[in-house]
Every structure is written in C-alpha cells, then in structure tokens.
Amino acid sequence: MRENFNRTLHVMGPVQDIPNPECRVQVAPNVRDRYGIPVAKLSGTTHPETVKTATFMYERAREWMEASGAVRVWGSPPGLGLSAGQHQAGTCRMGDDPRNLRHRQVGRIHSHDNLFVVDASLHVTNGGFNPVLTIMALAFRCAEHIAKAL
C-alpha cells in the first residue's frame, strides 16, 4: 500500500435502482438495539434491470482501466441482493396539489396535518451524484418546519 497508494484508482458510478415490490423495510419482531428499540429489517432483492445496468457500468469501467494501460484490474461483477448501502429514493413526491402529489413542500401529508415523511423518499431520484447532502437538506427543512409548528 505504501508504495502504490498513488497508483491505484477506484472506478464506480451510481445506478438508479429500479423499484422492486419485494423490497421492504420493516420493524424486526425479535431484535432490539441497546436502548430496547426495535431495529429495521431489510428484505427483498435488487431488480434484475438494476443489475443489468450495473453490470454494463462494471464492464465499461474494466475497459476504461485496461485501455488506459492499467497493469492490474480487479473487481466483482454486481449481483442480486440488498447491501443496505444504497440510497433509496422516491415514492413520496412533494408538491402543493393534493390531487397529484402526496406531500407538501415540507414533507407534511396533505390529508393529515400531524403526519410528516422525512426521509429519502422525498428525493424523487438520485440522478448522477450521491444524494446524501440533498436528503440532509430536505430533512433539515422539514425539521425546521415541524419545530416552528410545535
């Protein structure tokens, strides 16, 4: 590592996950954290089209590295399965029209004044960049509105 850290390159890119109806985040019935609170349980798998896109990107990355003269190229092709490393997004589009959109611009459900959604589902798509800062900004905006409403 000491001799090669400045000669190593990691190539990766985001893939927009295709929604899969098998995927769920549920409360684990028999597992609790150190405070006694039930933990989240992930289930399901990635959509085959997501794997197909990720495989295409994996193959292009290998080609780019080899074409650039890389001496050694390694990696693992993508496969089905959840890693809990994805930034899931979508399903809860925000807007002012309750006929077309589920949430107001601050994550509040149109039909329930005391119910808010404050997570990545407000972020319609991840696009081409890591969405963490956008998700955090949405969460802060929603939290500020909730705090003012109390």
Side-chain angles (χ1 to χ4, degrees), residues 45-89:
T45 187
T46 50
H47 192 281
E49 285 299 315
T50 300
V51 175
K52 184 177 173 182
T53 302
T55 299
F56 175 84
M57 292 176 63
Y58 169 78
E59 291 168 355
R60 296 303 75 74
R62 290 190 69 85
E63 289 174 7
W64 298 335
M65 295 302 295
E66 290 165 358
S68 70
V71 174
R72 184 171 167 228
V73 178
W74 67 93
S76 300
L80 292 172
L82 295 179
S83 70
Q86 300 93 343
H87 298 291
Q88 300 300 334

Side-chain angles (χ1 to χ4, degrees), residues 30-53:
N30 301 319
V31 180
R32 297 183 178 272
D33 67 11
R34 65 181 179 178
Y35 302 107
I37 299 171
V39 300
K41 173 185 170 186
L42 302 178
S43 61
T45 187
T46 50
H47 192 281
E49 285 299 315
T50 300
V51 175
K52 184 177 173 182
T53 302

Side-chain angles (χ1 to χ4, degrees), residues 5 7-13 58 61 64-65 72 74-76:
F5 79 94
R7 295 182 184 101
T8 303
L9 180 66
H10 183 122
V11 177
M12 61 183 285
Y58 169 78
W64 298 335
M65 295 302 295
R72 184 171 167 228
W74 67 93
S76 300

